[in-house]
Amino acid sequence: MDHRWGFLIGFLGAVGLLGSGHGGQQPPETAAQRCFCQVSGYLDDCTCDVETIDKFNNYRLFPRLQKLLESNYFRYYKVNLKRPCPFWNDISQCGRRDCAVKLCQSRYTGYKGPDAWKIWNVIYEENCFKPQTIKRPLNPLASGHENTFYSWLEGLCVEKRAFYKLISGLHASINVHLCARYLLQDTWLEKIWGHNITEFQQRFDGILTEGEGPRRLKNLYFLYLIELRALSKVVPFFERQDFQLFTGNKVQDAENKMLLLEILHEIKSFPLHFDENSFFAGDKKEANKLKEDFRLHFRNISRIMDCVGCLKCRLWGKLQTQGLGTALKILFSEKLIANMPESGPSYEFHLTRQEIVSLFNAFGRISTSVKELENFRNLLQNIH
């Protein structure tokens, strides 16, 4: 009897050791887990979960949205690329006539390094309501990393905290595009473009970025939800009979409007929309002041884009900045949208063609980034 009990106790003890991670070797953590383990479940400041967003975007929305953006209406965006940088003398070679921008393939620019960091540093340091004494983590232009950054961020009002997350999400989206459309090989014989897993890890791996990478990806999802919510609220503007996606081809214009409304109603059916009611809900005078601060900050960020040396980056930077600004304009114009006349001009709420083009193209870029995250998850799954 004693012998059998001893054997049983020893067996249970061995099982306990294996279950607790002792006495047996645990499989090493994969690169996918290091990048995405924190990007699961519910996001900060909202009740939506990442899995729901991925399924909705990747399998229901993304294909139709890409088809819409291929139409002529959304392919033209006017912007003055010759405006001088208002903040410093731009000596970047990418602004010259012989710049390699001409040789860049569609949607790749390769714009990175000190010049790119300088742009983002000014955006973060001067336009995110952040005092200079608080240093942003992993900022190569700052003198050091301060542990107080996130405690400071959590102490902000919800609107200012959201502003930082939106800019961080935009930055993350651009980095995902860079990693997904990377020039992997450049020879006289051929150019090979594709997913650069190493570059992705350097920007989003939890260990390599000291925990910062997964936060960036969460902010990308936060940005997606904000723009998705804005599109769900602006449906009445596009439903009016007077609105046309005018390109001169009546048949295609009618087909594109049907596709546009189909996409918008699909967006409206999303089950876990962001709730913006907590924004600007305090004292009316303070809320109006904060709204004006938001507008001025976005205007200033758009001016900073004039300092980007790469012309294609400058174009997309301005477009995405205006697209996000348009989304926020919609988000806080619910009453004006509800009071629009069914026909004729709408004086209280109106979107210009520039705003419409930037709104959908900017959301298209964010949607593509979310789709690419699924690709990177799969590619990193077996890498340690």
Side-chain angles (χ1 to χ4, degrees):
M1 179 70 69
D2 292 341
H3 174 74
R4 284 179 296 179
W5 276 109
F7 172 80
L8 180 60
I9 292 171
F11 174 76
L12 292 175
V15 171
L17 286 172
L18 289 172
S20 63
H22 301 287
Q25 187 173 5
Q26 294 292 311
E29 190 177 41
T30 66
Q33 290 172 324
R34 292 197 302 273
C35 291
F36 294 104
C37 64
Q38 298 177 40
V39 191
S40 60
Y42 289 95
L43 297 171
D44 301 333
D45 287 336
C46 52
T47 58
C48 191
D49 66 277
V50 169
E51 185 178 358
T52 299
I53 299 174
D54 285 341
K55 289 181 178 179
F56 177 80
N57 178 75
N58 299 351
Y59 303 107
R60 292 171 58 183
L61 190 63
F62 178 80
R64 283 180 285 184
L65 182 61
Q66 296 305 305
K67 181 179 178 181
L68 178 71
L69 294 178
E70 290 173 0
S71 65
N72 287 335
Y73 184 91
F74 293 99
R75 292 173 68 89
Y76 294 95
Y77 178 75
K78 293 182 180 179
V79 59
N80 183 359
L81 297 177
K82 296 183 179 180
R83 286 181 178 172
C85 173
F87 302 104
W88 60 79
N89 292 327
D90 184 18
I91 57 173
S92 173
Q93 293 186 359
C94 251
R96 296 180 182 176
R97 185 178 63 181
D98 298 329
C99 175
V101 164
K102 296 179 182 178
L103 303 177
C104 288
Q105 299 295 317
S106 176
R107 299 182 68 171
Y108 177 84
T109 59
Y111 187 67
K112 58 181 183 176
D115 289 339
W117 270 111
K118 187 176 183 181
I119 297 293
W120 282 110
N121 185 64
V122 173
I123 290 175
Y124 281 113
E125 298 299 315
E126 299 181 14
N127 294 279
C128 284
F129 302 97
K130 190 181 75 61
Q132 293 185 353
T133 54
I134 302 295
K135 300 301 180 183
R136 182 170 54 92
L138 292 180
N139 178 357
L141 299 184
S143 58
H145 301 161
E146 298 291 334
N147 296 326
T148 56
F149 177 80
Y150 286 105
S151 60
W152 164 83
L153 185 64
E154 290 304 313
L156 288 180
C157 66
V158 65
E159 296 88 351
K160 291 182 179 180
R161 190 164 66 241
F163 190 95
Y164 170 81
K165 290 185 175 184
L166 291 175
I167 299 303
S168 174
L170 180 61
H171 193 180
S173 174
I174 292 171
N175 283 337
V176 170
H177 275 275
L178 187 150
C179 298
R181 300 288 185 270
Y182 205 92
L183 183 59
L184 300 175
Q185 181 177 319
D186 185 9
T187 66
W188 65 271
L189 185 62
E190 63 176 343
K191 287 179 169 57
I192 298 178
W193 308 81
H195 293 80
N196 189 323
I197 299 174
T198 301
E199 188 73 27
F200 185 88
Q201 288 180 271
Q202 289 176 349
R203 295 171 185 270
F204 299 109
D205 187 286
I207 293 178
L208 297 179
T209 62
E210 301 176 12
E212 188 66 17
R215 288 192 182 100
R216 295 168 182 166
L217 295 181
K218 279 189 174 183
N219 291 338
L220 168 57
Y221 280 104
F222 182 79
L223 171 63
Y224 180 90
L225 286 177
I226 290 290
E227 297 202 1
L228 191 75
R229 178 60 168 165
L231 289 170
S232 74
K233 294 174 79 73
V234 79
V235 175
F237 176 83
F238 294 106
E239 283 183 323
R240 299 189 313 150
Q241 292 184 351
D242 289 354
F243 177 78
Q244 293 184 4
L245 295 172
F246 183 76
T247 63
N249 186 321
K250 291 185 178 180
V251 175
Q252 288 186 4
D253 291 348
E255 291 176 352
N256 287 332
K257 183 174 180 180
M258 284 183 61
L259 178 59
L260 172 66
L261 293 178
E262 180 184 317
I263 290 170
L264 290 175
H265 283 286
E266 184 72 47
I267 288 173
K268 205 169 183 179
S269 72
F270 181 70
L272 294 171
H273 271 295
F274 180 82
D275 183 6
E276 75 284 357
N277 289 324
S278 60
F279 285 177
F280 307 110
D283 179 76
K284 190 173 182 179
K285 186 176 180 180
E286 291 182 4
N288 289 335
K289 172 65 167 58
L290 196 53
K291 285 182 181 180
E292 179 64 12
D293 287 343
F294 266 49
R295 189 186 68 81
L296 292 175
H297 280 233
F298 270 104
R299 181 185 176 188
N300 202 44
I301 290 173
S302 182
R303 294 177 68 211
I304 291 172
M305 294 301 170
D306 288 325
C307 301
V308 175
C310 167
L311 297 182
K312 188 175 289 187
C313 301
R314 188 182 303 183
L315 170 65
W316 278 105
K318 282 185 167 291
L319 184 144
Q320 288 180 274
T321 302
Q322 184 177 16
L324 179 53
T326 303
L328 292 177
K329 171 184 173 179
I330 294 167
L331 209 58
F332 306 117
S333 301
E334 186 172 18
K335 292 182 179 179
L336 300 180
I337 295 173
N339 294 329
M340 286 188 307
E342 293 184 3
S343 61
S346 174
Y347 296 106
E348 290 191 340
F349 179 85
H350 181 71
L351 294 179
T352 66
R353 179 167 180 167
Q354 283 283 94
E355 289 176 317
I356 295 170
V357 171
S358 66
L359 174 68
F360 281 92
N361 273 285
F363 181 68
R365 301 291 278 189
I366 306 303
S367 175
T368 302
S369 296
V370 172
K371 184 71 172 67
E372 288 293 356
L373 289 183
E374 181 180 54
N375 296 330
F376 276 111
R377 275 193 188 95
N378 296 331
L379 290 170
L380 292 168
Q381 199 63 50
N382 298 318
I383 297 177
H384 297 287

